[in-house]
Each structure stands twice: as C-alpha cells, then as structure tokens.
C-alpha cells in the first residue's frame, strides 16, 4: 500500500507517483469534539501528484486532501477510527468538478489486522501500511493470509493493488475515501483485545455513515459509494456491500456514536476475499486437499481433510446456489466442472490469447496439460491442481486446532487472544481447553462477519446490487469456491456480477485496475472524464 506522497518518484503496481507536497493552502482546523461528525470543507491541504495510467500515459492531478478525520463521536481508538478524503480539482491543467463524482471507498485492511491513516501524507500514503503490489504471490504465515508487517502493524500483502485503484480513480475524477479500522491484534493496558470481530466491519460502516451524513459537505455523490478491498479487506468490502443498513450492527454503531445516516453502499469491489470463515476450512480442503503443504512438502492429514470435505458438501447443498450462465445447481460433485467452465479455462484462454505466437508456443510446450484448440484452452481439474502446486495452508486452514491461525485471533474476546469458531475445531482442540464447545457469542459474531448470511440466509434488500470480484487462479490462501459462491449468491438475487480469475496469479493480484475504474463509471452512470 505504501505509495507515499513525498518528494521523489515511486513506482508501485504500475503506478508512478511524484507527490509534490505543494501545500500552498491549508485552511481550517480539526473539528472540536462537539461537532466531530461535521466535515469541514475548508480544512484541506492542496497536493499535486503524477499518475501513470494503464496505457502508459502520465497525468498531473491536483487534489484537496483531508487527513485523519475521526468518523465517530465516541471513538475507541482515533488512530484507527479515522479516514482520509481526496478530491481532484485539476487534471492535466483543467479544472475538475467532483461534486457529483462516484466515491471510491478503499480500505487497506490485511489479515484482519488494524489499518490506520493517521500517518498518511497523501492518497495511498504511508499510513495505509505496506506490502507487495498487485500481482504478487506473497509469502507468510498461514494466518489470516497476512505477510510481513508494514507500517502501523498493517499486514496487507496487496496494498499496491489498492493504491493502484485509488490513484487511477483520482485521475479519473473520482473522490477517494480511505478509511482506517480497528483490527484483531489491538490490545489495551488491561490486556483486552478491542479490535476483534466485529470491530472492523462496524468501523467501516461507521465511516460510510460519516460520508453519507456529510452529503453536500464532502464532495462526491454519496449515493454512489463503491467499496474496494483485498484479502481480509476484500472480505470486509463484500460484507459492507451485502449488509447495508442491517439492524444487526445498530447497537455496535450506537456505542461508537456513529452518524445518523445509512451505511449502504452502491457497488462492491472485492479481490480474493477471505470470507465465509465458518465454512472456509471445508471449502479449502475440497479445493486443495490433495495438494502438499508448502511448509512440509507433504500431503496434510487426509482423515481431517476428508471430514472437512464432507462438511463442505453438506453446506454447499444447503446453499441451493445455481451457477452463472445457466450452469445449474452447484454441488460438491460438480463444482470442479463449474470452476473449469466458468473461470479457469476462460482465464487461461485470455492469458494465452494475449501472448505472441512464439510466447504462446513456449508456454504450451512447458505446460503440456493444456490443450489449445481453436483459440481456446482446456484441461482437466487434477492437472490444474498439479500445475498450481503446493497449498499455502495446513489443515484446518482457518480454525486451527492449536488456535494458531489469525482467524482464531479475529474471534478472540476480552483478554482471550484466540478462540475457536467452528464446532469441529473446538472438538478437536489441541491446546487443552476445559470445554470443547464454541463460546455462546460466536454464532452472532459469525453472522456479523459473513456476507453469505445477508445474501442467502436472511436476504438484505439494502445490499449492493453491483459486484466486482477477482481472484488469482493460483491463489491457495483461500478456496476458489468462496468467491464463486459469493458471486453465485449475488447473481441469484438478480445483482450484476463481474467476476473472473487471473491466470497463474497468486493472492492479491489486480491485473485489470483500469477496467475496474471504467466499471465504476458504467455502473454508477458517471460520465467519464475525456
């Protein structure tokens, strides 16, 4: 994430940034506690940056930047419960009016860790944490899909992808809001964890309410908010879209003094979402159970893997989802065929078609499992799994028997750092817990954290109706069925879904950021800047 608005040039994720701190105007002061939720239109800094688009063109963008605005009246931790706002006012020397532009609401959460904008020096700046640019396949512990920590403890391995989206949005004339949020590792002096579930989604909802509450003061169309996030941030983006205005969150928002406004958003962008956590272990084993683990080079315990696959089959049947493009009911028995037909073979086809004849021939010679005929790629599921290779995580991947996964920490409470959130892992706990049952509050927290609850079990009419979902075809941080189920659930409700996989790419890939920016203009009806 760390594209810092400091002197010099940085190139991350295909975006070159030359941020001149041309702060020739800085007016207004931070709002006092009494009017903390009223946005001050004059309290900005004027900045100029260079943005290199996906076509290689370079654009000079001057924008107004509001830094670290606290978005709730009674914050638990202002360092994380604040947001930045960036509004373009001049692009390539031409004045821009962003008063009716879409608002890109881009979170930088990774691994369900805390995310702060307090130290940011401009759009996509230092306070948003660090990590690899989009397209990478980050290494790291199998906990919450996090890689090495970046600034402010944020471990988002895909910040470059998010910064790419944010900068391109700014250059397209959109308003960009970057919210911080509490995360699972935050601990107070009493040893209590105050950023575990559902803190992150509650904070993001409060930030949306702040933006909508300030309609007419914050530039941009507050009815056209488009969220974006990657990995755990992608999960939260999807949850934000699915759960708009759900009463389940009201008591948590009231405790924070959130603004009296809607928290529904218009459209959702989610890259490799780590979500549906209570069913993620089974989905992961269904997908990657036969692949050796990276950490050991050996196949995981097949008894555990088989039991989890059986759980997935039962869950998938209960969902009663139908595949896109008339595929029919999605079951554990036919999901491999569906993934091949709907996502994987089209992904390989797009990749190979874009290569030169010589490069394509070389790739096919190296990857003989692919049949290339009449401009289309085809292959078998088992050969595809062999092509991907070792799986990122051991088993169970998310609710570890020894409570070592980041997701165990996400469901911690009080002074208890980590807890089980599935009955299966609680029953098979290896840490010596006195009771092998999940805690009484876990079912509610799972509902609060799972977008599928709002799309399948209790359908939310205030959900986002437009979905942009992306995943790397070689991403073993999660199961392919997680994002595919999310897409199928939304499409089954009549929502517009744009979902595809990036061939040979890992966790956090963002191969088509320009298309995402164009998609925002299309679904919001915004007239793109010429």
């Amino acid at each position: 994430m760390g594209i810092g608005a400091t002197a010099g040039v940085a190139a991350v994720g295909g975006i070159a940034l030359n941020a001149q701190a041309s702060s020739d105007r800085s007016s207004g002061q931070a709002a006092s506690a009494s009017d903390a939720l009223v946005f001050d239109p004059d309290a900005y800094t004027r900045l100029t940056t260079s943005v290199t688009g996906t076509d290689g063109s370079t654009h000079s963008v001057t924008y107004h930047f509001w830094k670290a605005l606290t978005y709730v009246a009674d914050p638990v931790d202002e360092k994380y419960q604040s947001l930045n706002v960036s509004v373009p006012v001049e692009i390539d020397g031409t004045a821009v009016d962003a008063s009716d532009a879409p608002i890109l609401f881009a979170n930088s959460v990774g691994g369900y860790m805390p995310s702060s904008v307090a130290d940011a020096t401009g759009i996509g700046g230092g306070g948003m944490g660090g990590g690899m640019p989009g397209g990478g396949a980050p290494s790291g512990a199998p906990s919450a899909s996090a890689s090495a920590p970046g600034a402010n403890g944020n471990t988002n391995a895909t910040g470059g992808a998010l910064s790419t989206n944010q900068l391109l949005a700014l250059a397209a004339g959109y308003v960009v809001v970057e919210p911080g949020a509490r995360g699972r590792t935050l601990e107070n002096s009493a040893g209590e964890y105050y950023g575990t579930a559902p803190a992150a989604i509650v904070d993001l909802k409060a930030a949306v309410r702040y933006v909508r509450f300030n309609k007419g003061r914050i530039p941009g169309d507050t009815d056209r908010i488009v969220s974006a996030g990657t990995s755990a941030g992608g999960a939260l983006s999807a949850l934000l879209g699915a759960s708009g205005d759900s009463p389940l969150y009201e008591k948590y928002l009231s405790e924070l003094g959130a603004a009296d406004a809607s928290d529904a958003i218009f459209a959702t962008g989610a890259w490799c979402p780590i979500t549906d956590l209570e069913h993620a272990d089974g989905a992961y084993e269904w997908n990657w159970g036969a692949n050796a683990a990276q950490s050991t080079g050996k196949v995981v315990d097949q008894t555990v893997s088989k039991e989890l696959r059986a759980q997935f089959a039962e869950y998938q049947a209960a969902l009663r989802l139908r595949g896109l493009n008339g595929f029919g009911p999605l079951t554990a028995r036919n999901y491999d065929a569906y993934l091949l037909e709907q996502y994987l073979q089209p992904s390989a086809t797009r990749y190979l078609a874009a290569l030169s004849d010589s490069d394509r021939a070389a790739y096919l010679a190296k990857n003989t499992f692919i049949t290339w005929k009449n401009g289309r790629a085809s292959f078998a599921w088992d050969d595809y799994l062999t092509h991907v290779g070792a799986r990122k995580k051991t088993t169970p991947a998310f609710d570890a028997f020894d409570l070592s996964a980041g997701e165990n920490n996400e469901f911690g409470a009080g002074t208890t750092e980590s807890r089980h959130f599935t009955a299966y892992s609680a029953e098979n706990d290896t840490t010596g817990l006195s009771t092998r049952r999940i805690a009484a509050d876990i079912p509610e927290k799972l509902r609060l954290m799972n977008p599928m609850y709002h799309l399948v079990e209790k359908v939310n009419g205030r959900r986002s109706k437009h979905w942009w979902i992306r995943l790397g075809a070689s991403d073993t941080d999660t199961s392919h069925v997680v994002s595919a189920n999310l897409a199928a659930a939304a499409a089954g409700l009549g929502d517009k879904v744009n979902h595809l996989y990036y061939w040979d790419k890992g966790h956090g890939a963002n191969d088509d950021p320009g298309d995402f920016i164009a998609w925002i203009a299309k679904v919001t009806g915004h007239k793109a800047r010429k």
Side-chain angles (χ1 to χ4, degrees), residues 239-507:
L239 181 56
L240 197 62
S243 66
D245 290 338
S246 169
L248 290 181
Y249 304 85
E250 193 58 45
K251 65 179 181 180
Y252 300 96
L253 290 161
S254 296
E255 288 172 358
L256 295 176
D260 184 12
S262 170
D263 55 64
I265 60 171
F266 183 78
T268 299
W271 285 257
C272 52
I274 303 291
T275 191
D276 199 0
L277 295 176
E278 62 266 45
H279 305 107
D281 288 329
Y284 194 89
E285 292 311 310
W286 177 90
N287 204 147
W288 307 116
N291 290 42
Q294 284 181 10
S295 58
T296 64
K298 299 178 181 179
V299 174
V300 299
D301 186 324
Q302 289 300 291
T303 298
V304 172
S305 184
K306 182 178 179 181
E307 290 173 349
L308 288 170
R309 288 197 300 271
Q311 292 179 21
F312 166 73
E314 183 177 351
Y315 170 63
Q316 190 63 44
L319 286 175
R320 299 182 181 275
L321 296 177
R322 302 182 71 85
L324 276 60
N325 297 321
F327 182 85
L330 292 174
T331 69
R333 291 193 175 191
N334 68 11
Y335 222 128
D336 53 352
Y338 176 64
L339 290 173
L340 287 171
E341 176 183 316
Q342 177 65 31
Y343 297 112
L344 295 170
Q345 291 177 161
S347 175
T349 298
R350 284 190 300 272
Y351 174 81
L352 289 166
L355 297 178
S356 66
D357 290 345
S358 59
D359 287 346
R360 186 184 312 115
Y363 186 90
L364 291 170
K366 187 176 180 180
N367 297 277
T368 56
F369 74 98
I370 299 176
T371 297
W372 180 254
K373 185 177 181 180
N374 298 326
R376 298 183 65 181
S378 61
F379 43 86
W381 175 253
D382 288 344
D383 291 335
Y384 158 73
L385 292 179
T386 300
H387 173 69
V388 173
R391 52 188 272 173
K392 176 78 170 289
K393 302 180 179 183
T394 55
T395 193
F398 297 91
D399 189 355
F401 291 158
D402 63 359
L403 294 172
S404 63
E407 287 77 14
N408 293 123
N409 181 205
E410 172 64 6
F411 289 98
T415 58
T416 302
E417 180 180 10
S418 299
R419 298 189 298 169
H420 291 297
F421 52 91
T422 66
Y424 180 78
S425 288
E427 291 167 1
N428 289 279
D429 175 78
T430 60
T431 68
L433 293 176
S434 58
T435 178
R436 296 200 172 191
R437 286 191 289 247
I438 60 172
D441 64 314
I442 289 292
E444 179 190 7
K445 283 188 166 62
L446 291 171
R447 289 191 291 272
L448 291 165
M449 296 302 295
N450 194 344
M452 296 297 288
Y453 173 80
H454 305 277
L455 298 175
V456 177
E457 188 171 340
K458 188 176 178 62
V459 177
N460 178 25
R462 290 286 291 159
R463 69 186 181 278
S464 163
K465 304 301 195 302
H466 301 274
W467 300 80
W468 175 279
I469 306 171
R470 293 295 187 265
L471 186 71
S474 295
D475 185 352
T476 65
D477 280 60
T478 183
S479 169
H480 289 349
V481 303
V482 171
S483 64
N485 273 349
L486 182 65
L493 295 174
D495 299 350
K496 302 299 183 183
V497 177
N498 188 318
H499 184 205
L500 58 79
Y501 291 8
Y502 305 126
W503 186 249
D504 275 354
K505 292 300 178 69
H507 197 62

Side-chain angles (χ1 to χ4, degrees), residues 155-170:
T155 60
N156 188 0
T158 54
L162 288 173
S163 290
T164 300
N165 288 341
Q166 292 156 218
L167 289 165
L168 289 178
L170 195 71

Side-chain angles (χ1 to χ4, degrees), residues 47-334:
L47 300 173
T48 299
T49 185
S50 294
V51 177
T52 300
T54 56
D55 61 355
S57 60
T58 302
H59 304 278
S60 175
V61 181
T62 297
Y63 63 103
H64 292 170
F65 178 66
W66 288 260
K67 176 180 175 179
L69 307 175
T70 303
Y71 53 69
V72 289
D74 300 307
V76 176
D77 193 331
E78 286 183 283
K79 179 178 179 181
Y80 302 100
Q81 294 173 304
S82 59
L83 56 79
N84 292 340
V85 178
S86 299
V87 179
V89 294
E90 190 175 292
I91 301 175
D92 294 333
T94 301
V96 172
D97 180 5
S99 58
D100 64 347
I103 298 174
L104 178 62
F105 186 86
N107 82 72
S108 291
V109 174
Y112 290 101
M113 299 282 278
S115 176
S116 173
V117 300
D119 298 327
T121 53
I123 188 168
M128 300 306 289
M132 292 180 63
S139 61
S143 54
S145 301
S147 71
N152 299 316
N154 187 341
T155 60
N156 188 0
T158 54
L162 288 173
S163 290
T164 300
N165 288 341
Q166 292 156 218
L167 289 165
L168 289 178
L170 195 71
Y174 305 165
V175 174
V176 177
V177 173
E178 301 171 292
R182 288 170 294 165
R184 60 183 173 85
T185 58
L186 294 176
E187 187 178 0
N188 64 20
S189 58
E192 299 167 325
Y193 290 87
Y194 63 92
T196 57
I201 185 60
V202 171
D203 285 354
L204 293 182
K205 282 178 168 289
V208 171
R209 289 190 174 198
Y210 174 89
V211 172
R212 296 189 67 133
F213 172 77
N214 282 290
K215 180 178 182 178
R217 290 185 286 263
I218 292 180
D221 186 346
T222 57
D223 292 324
R224 293 294 183 268
I225 297 174
V226 181
S227 71
T230 303
S231 191
L236 291 168
S237 180
L239 181 56
L240 197 62
S243 66
D245 290 338
S246 169
L248 290 181
Y249 304 85
E250 193 58 45
K251 65 179 181 180
Y252 300 96
L253 290 161
S254 296
E255 288 172 358
L256 295 176
D260 184 12
S262 170
D263 55 64
I265 60 171
F266 183 78
T268 299
W271 285 257
C272 52
I274 303 291
T275 191
D276 199 0
L277 295 176
E278 62 266 45
H279 305 107
D281 288 329
Y284 194 89
E285 292 311 310
W286 177 90
N287 204 147
W288 307 116
N291 290 42
Q294 284 181 10
S295 58
T296 64
K298 299 178 181 179
V299 174
V300 299
D301 186 324
Q302 289 300 291
T303 298
V304 172
S305 184
K306 182 178 179 181
E307 290 173 349
L308 288 170
R309 288 197 300 271
Q311 292 179 21
F312 166 73
E314 183 177 351
Y315 170 63
Q316 190 63 44
L319 286 175
R320 299 182 181 275
L321 296 177
R322 302 182 71 85
L324 276 60
N325 297 321
F327 182 85
L330 292 174
T331 69
R333 291 193 175 191
N334 68 11

